[in-house]
């Protein structure tokens, strides 16, 4: 079967996206999904995303990591699927869709995609890191010398080590630029490498910086290898809410491949 796909990237986090409203894709074929994401033998991507119909909202997002396994929420992928839904004329500039972690509002404004993330009530603080789930699990750790850090080596040790082990966590290394601006490099679970940015990751970093008192701001700039992202939020004594991940999402090319 010939499958039409669209290659998208959001600040360098890249995805193969397929319109699966006719349910033509065999979602159990994880080997095939991994092969499509392979950077040498396939199209190459950090993740594989299906857009599907939903009875209650504009569409459903199904996300797979590059290892072929269905995974938890992808923030950059969420921004890209909103751009894809507009390209398909499923939506105008405002939408509500469903993903594995629930409902998400989104809007396209001034060429940027604004994606609302789930509320976060629990942020665990440890001696040298914080842990929180922003739709995907994230370990957040301050470092110095971020530019020269071996993210893959250091990140995989944390991702596979205790307490995360096989289930794992994504790992974000952070350096403060100013009180409302942070540089972030992320090791992504399921890609098992550094990605150029991670949407749920920079969201976790913004909230962790506020929780740990490194910022009092609620509109945070995150500088990633793939470009700038913004996270805005409100908070009260029950936690963080009205959380928005804001950044660009581009279609790079369209193609066909035998599925
Ligand atoms: N690798 C992540 C999912 C994708 C997250 C990332 N691509 C994002 O933009 O949030 C995990 O398995 O938890």
């Amino acid at each position: 079967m010939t499958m039409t796909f669209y290659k998208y990237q959001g600040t360098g986090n890249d995805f193969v996206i397929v319109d699966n409203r006719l349910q033509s894709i065999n979602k159990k074929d994880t080997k095939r999904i991994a092969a499509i994401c392979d950077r040498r033998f396939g199209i190459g991507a950090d993740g594989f995303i299906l857009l599907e119909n939903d009875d209650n909202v504009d569409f459903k997002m199904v996300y797979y990591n590059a290892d072929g396994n269905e995974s938890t929420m992808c923030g950059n992928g969420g921004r890209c699927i909103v751009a894809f839904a507009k390209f398909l004329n499923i939506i105008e500039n405002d939408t509500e869709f469903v993903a594995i972690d629930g409902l998400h509002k989104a809007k396209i404004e001034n060429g940027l995609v604004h994606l609302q993330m789930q509320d976060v009530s629990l942020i665990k603080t440890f001696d040298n890191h914080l842990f929180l789930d922003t739709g995907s699990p994230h370990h957040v750790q301050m470092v110095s010398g971020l530019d020269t850090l071996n993210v893959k080596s250091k990140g995989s040790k944390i991702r596979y080590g205790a307490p995360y082990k096989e289930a794992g966590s994504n790992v974000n290394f952070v350096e403060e630029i100013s009180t409302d601006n942070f540089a972030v490099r992320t090791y992504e679970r399921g890609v098992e490498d550094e990605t150029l940015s991670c949407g749920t990751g920079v969201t976790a970093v913004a909230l962790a910086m506020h929780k740990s008192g490194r910022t009092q701001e609620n509109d945070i700039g995150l500088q990633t290898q793939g470009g700038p992202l913004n996270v805005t939020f409100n908070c009260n004594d029950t936690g963080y809410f009205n959380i928005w991940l804001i950044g660009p999402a581009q279609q790079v090319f369209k193609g066909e491949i035998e599925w």
Side-chain angles (χ1 to χ4, degrees):
M1 178 197 87
T2 301
M3 178 182 82
T4 299
F5 69 86
Y6 294 81
K7 188 77 193 310
Y8 272 79
Q9 63 86 11
T11 47
N13 204 192
D14 64 333
F15 310 98
V16 171
I17 308 187
V18 175
D19 175 358
N20 193 36
R21 286 177 288 175
L22 300 178
Q23 291 287 327
S24 51
I25 298 295
N26 167 12
K27 297 192 270 196
K28 301 258 179 298
D29 195 345
T30 58
K31 281 195 176 44
R32 187 74 194 109
I33 292 170
I36 282 175
C37 292
D38 187 289
R39 297 222 180 262
R40 294 286 185 281
F41 295 100
I43 301 163
D46 291 331
F48 182 77
I49 303 176
L50 297 177
L51 184 150
E52 300 187 339
N53 284 322
D54 183 85
D55 295 340
N56 305 310
V57 288
D58 291 335
F59 59 88
K60 177 182 180 183
M61 169 184 177
V62 188
Y63 182 75
Y64 301 82
N65 275 319
D67 64 6
N69 295 317
E70 186 175 356
S71 191
T72 45
M73 182 55 185
C74 177
N76 287 330
R79 294 190 296 102
C80 287
I81 199 172
V82 168
F84 184 51
K86 180 173 172 69
F87 169 78
L88 294 177
N89 294 316
I90 297 173
I91 66 169
E92 273 300 309
N93 290 311
D94 293 277
T95 184
E96 185 170 34
F97 68 95
V98 63
I100 193 165
D101 64 342
L103 293 177
H104 291 267
K105 288 187 174 63
K107 62 182 175 182
I108 300 170
E109 205 171 77
N110 304 327
L112 297 179
V113 182
H114 300 235
L115 174 67
Q116 188 171 27
M117 307 299 279
Q118 299 305 332
D119 296 352
V120 174
S121 53
L122 177 63
I123 301 181
K124 293 180 183 171
T125 302
F126 300 87
D127 291 347
N128 74 341
H129 72 278
L130 295 98
F131 179 79
L132 60 160
D133 190 309
T134 52
S136 284
H138 286 277
H139 173 111
V140 177
Q141 187 167 323
M142 302 305 295
V143 295
S144 54
L146 185 63
D147 285 350
T148 55
L149 185 72
N150 185 335
V151 168
K152 180 167 183 175
S153 167
K154 200 166 162 68
S156 62
K157 286 191 182 64
I158 296 168
R159 172 261 186 273
Y160 282 105
Y164 308 122
K165 302 209 172 109
E166 203 41 46
S169 171
N170 301 283
V171 183
N172 303 274
F173 300 105
V174 190
E175 202 161 50
E176 181 168 331
I177 298 169
S178 66
T179 52
D180 64 353
N181 201 11
F182 297 85
V184 184
R185 294 179 67 187
T186 304
Y187 174 95
E188 260 198 60
R189 172 184 72 165
V191 181
E192 304 312 341
D193 202 345
E194 179 177 8
T195 55
L196 296 185
S197 72
C198 177
T200 51
V202 296
T203 304
V205 169
L207 301 186
M209 294 303 101
H210 187 272
K211 173 77 176 178
S212 59
R214 288 179 182 276
T215 185
Q216 313 303 323
E217 306 296 325
N218 66 350
D219 180 345
I220 309 291
L222 295 308
Q223 308 309 316
T224 76
Q225 304 285 303
L229 285 163
N230 256 86
V231 173
T232 63
F233 54 86
N234 295 112
C235 77
N236 60 26
D237 50 8
T238 64
Y240 292 83
F241 61 97
N242 194 29
I243 304 166
W244 291 82
L245 168 66
I246 303 159
Q250 260 95 36
Q251 185 180 123
V252 185
F253 61 88
K254 172 186 178 183
E256 291 186 345
I257 191 167
E258 282 314 302
W259 172 268

